[in-house]
Amino acid sequence: MLFDRSSLRELSVAALIAVASTCSTAPLAEPLKPATAKNDASLRAELVFWESVRDTQNADELRAYLGAYPNGRFSALARLRIKALLGPSGEGTEAIAATQAPASASGATGAKEGATTATKATTAADRLQAGDSFRDCELCPEMVVVPPGSFEMGSDRNRPEEKPSHRVSIPGAFAIGTHEITVAQWDACLKEGGCRHSPEPGSDGRLPMANVSWNDAQDYLKWLREKTARDYRLPSEAEWEYAARAGSRSNYWWGNEKGAGRANCSDCGSPFGGREASPAGSFAANAFGLHDMHGNVWEWTEDCWNPSYRGAPADGKAWLRGDCLSRVLRGGSWALDHEYMRSSRRSRYDRDVRYYVNGFRVVRPVEAPAATASGDPAFESAVMKAANTVFSNTPKSASGAQAFIVDPLIDGLSGAESAATRRMESVIVEVARRNHPAFAVEEFTPSNASTARFAVVGTFTGVNKQRETSGTREAFRVCLVLLDLKAGKVAANAKEFAQPSGVDITPTKFFQDSPVWIADPPTQAYIRTCQTTKPGDPIDPVYLQQIKAAALINEAVDAYEKGQYERSRNLFASASRTAGGDQLRTYIGLYLSSWKTGAKEQTVDAIAKIVDFGLNSSRLAIKFPFQPGSAALQTGSKDAAPHELWLAQIARESTRRGICLEIIGHTDVIGPKALNQRLAARRAEYIKQRLDGLAPDLARRTIAAGKGADENLVGSRTGDARDELDRRIEFAVFQCSAAR
């Protein structure tokens, strides 16, 4: 029996199974069960997955099908195909057996008995399968799970940027929004302070949120990650096309012709075409259950722009090399004709520019976290266990609930707050409220810091297999300590390790915007208190001295992240006059808030204080905005003071002091060690040349060196805001004979 795979969506599930079953002998495919609304989506997803691997000559792709559907309708056929591909030697039979899952007592196969496609809220314990739809919270977008598989990406028949067509494998299931992000969903982010750009007044909440830049989309994703502790992001180009095709090889999921009333484009024959966007769900979904993958609004992806697919990843990941000031858009729009909405059609736009037909949808991973060699628990489970330990091991008062504050948790190396540390704080508070009524949380303010009995501090640190903070980070170390502020001693502590899967370590806005890293004493005292103390030890005096200032700084950081820059500047100024307020976060806050409010003299003054602070500590690190893979600097950012101001102040102060500087370049892992070191050295040499040009006398008192990725502080290897600190330039003061 012959059939057009592009018509998959047109067939009922029953018909799909009947057609697919003719591809094998009857005993190799499970007998047909009546399709119902409950299992329709799961069955369709399995069939699309099978269609993508049915003709493969790669046993690993067939194993991927068996991994997703160990008792699927074509599992017996898949195992025979694997055996045939591996040859008569029987090599690999253990791997085949490993994918054989026991059937349930009722004889149920790949689709879960009684499963439902109704949208549900997920929990940490949920095991999502292909075809499941869910929301992570009431205000969150509806998501559907797409199975892993392989497909031909691009087209050799069309435009140059779509060439060459190439095979891409999506190694694991992922969840993608069933619709583009709507105005109502964006409004939820706007009201909670996560998003800054407002939709058009009076916009229908069901419409896709358009006129957003790639940077705007990142604001929404950051808010969504913090709200759910799930690693939401934009789809990669490969993920987007794979999801749009949904098993088809044609121009659109329904075939090669535009048809009539299939989508919203200017010549698609719909009531909306050429005039306006259409509400979410106005047109039929594809075989994966996704609406509006063709037309309506262009959709941002994670990828940097490249003019062709030469050198593109084949593993489904985002291509983060090329022109990263421009990002890729897919799917076409209501304002353009059907040619622009083909599955393989590509476009681009400046990432910081809004356009009235540009929108986006989101993805997140769904794979169950793989256990590390030591069997580490998932992130939230590890935090809950640590929180229960510290509260359980602290003596209770007979006079009622004891107040505690949470001094914001930080990364154990960089000292930055992140989406993960914010989520940890929420989990700690929830554990206390639910399981430990003897403790009552209070807001972290200067007055509460003076009266509260206890304070929770904690660090979150990436570690390798040996539990060391170097190399590839394969787990996270969670350290929590409960401090008895009245007694001046450590009351209880706990340490757990967590799996890295699904953990979002993106720094919060204040720490993303901060251009500087210095190991200042208050932050180091906080880290020591978390990582080197035991119950009964005295609290580090440096930490105790600055706790009220830390509470004021916390208020200032919160105001900054809400866009209240004038209030933030006033709070940072107040902190600078408070005992213990002479610390790096104060001066960074004064710099950032002054720049945001246009106070240029105060900005320059803050830069001078930070440089002075860093040189006094003999090591100052700056996050210069280098172009990806280059020693050239990006220009034109409105979000930070020009790097010339920093270089001028470093040159001026170094000359005044007569000191010698080693300028050290660092990179994240971009390739072999030699390549990393070469790029780091080139960047250091470039900065040295700039300093020498500003102050020629420095030429004999500065040297340049490259450390590559040897001293990564983050080590996530993501090449984005999460590990920006790994691409820093350090200015290390050293003794030399050239000094006056």
Side-chain angles (χ1 to χ4, degrees), residues 214 218 234-238 240 299-304 318 327-330 359-360:
W214 187 90
Q218 298 304 314
L234 291 175
S236 68
E237 246 203 296
W240 190 97
E299 298 180 16
W300 287 108
T301 69
E302 193 69 26
D303 297 56
C304 302
R327 298 290 173 144
V328 178
L329 290 156
R330 302 298 296 264
F360 67 105

Side-chain angles (χ1 to χ4, degrees), residues 460-474:
F460 186 65
T461 313
V463 295
N464 60 22
K465 284 183 178 179
Q466 290 73 41
R467 308 309 201 194
E468 298 169 343
T469 54
S470 62
T472 302
R473 306 319 201 253
E474 299 195 13

Side-chain angles (χ1 to χ4, degrees), residues 8 35 75 222 255 283 358 409-410:
L8 277 175
S75 56
K222 177 175 177 290
F283 299 90
N358 292 351
L409 279 61
I410 60 175

Side-chain angles (χ1 to χ4, degrees), residues 471-473 505 668-669 712-718 722-723 726:
T472 302
R473 306 319 201 253
I505 60 172
D668 53 345
V669 178
N712 281 177
L713 291 171
V714 182
S716 64
R717 302 189 178 192
T718 50
R722 286 171 283 189
D723 61 351
D726 289 342

Side-chain angles (χ1 to χ4, degrees), residues 193 196 509 557-568 596-597:
R196 294 166 287 180
K509 178 175 174 52
V557 169
D558 183 63
Y560 179 85
E561 295 188 344
K562 290 179 178 176
Q564 301 167 358
Y565 301 124
E566 191 64 48
R567 178 171 177 266
S568 176
K596 291 287 189 181
T597 54

Side-chain angles (χ1 to χ4, degrees), residues 662-732:
E662 182 181 16
I663 303 167
I664 306 168
H666 298 269
T667 69
D668 53 345
V669 178
I670 62 170
K673 184 172 183 177
L675 177 62
N676 299 332
Q677 291 180 335
R678 181 166 174 255
L679 177 59
R682 285 178 55 212
R683 288 176 171 175
E685 185 60 37
Y686 173 80
I687 296 298
K688 172 178 163 51
Q689 291 172 4
R690 293 289 300 272
L691 285 179
D692 294 349
L694 291 167
D697 185 53
L698 283 178
R700 62 193 180 91
R701 293 190 282 111
T702 56
I703 58 174
K707 292 290 184 69
D710 291 347
E711 296 181 2
N712 281 177
L713 291 171
V714 182
S716 64
R717 302 189 178 192
T718 50
D720 55 18
R722 286 171 283 189
D723 61 351
E724 188 177 8
L725 197 54
D726 289 342
R727 297 182 288 280
R728 67 196 182 276
I729 295 288
E730 289 192 61
F731 301 87

Side-chain angles (χ1 to χ4, degrees), residues 17 42 53 55 149 171 210 249 298 336 346 364 406 427 429 456 477 489 501 515 611 620 637 651 688:
I17 296 173
S42 293
V53 303
D55 299 325
R249 298 180 184 176
W298 285 101
L336 297 171
R346 307 172 69 219
R364 81 157 174 85
V406 180
V427 171
V429 170
V456 173
R477 183 177 63 217
K489 293 186 177 182
S501 179
V611 171
L620 166 68
S637 173
K688 172 178 163 51

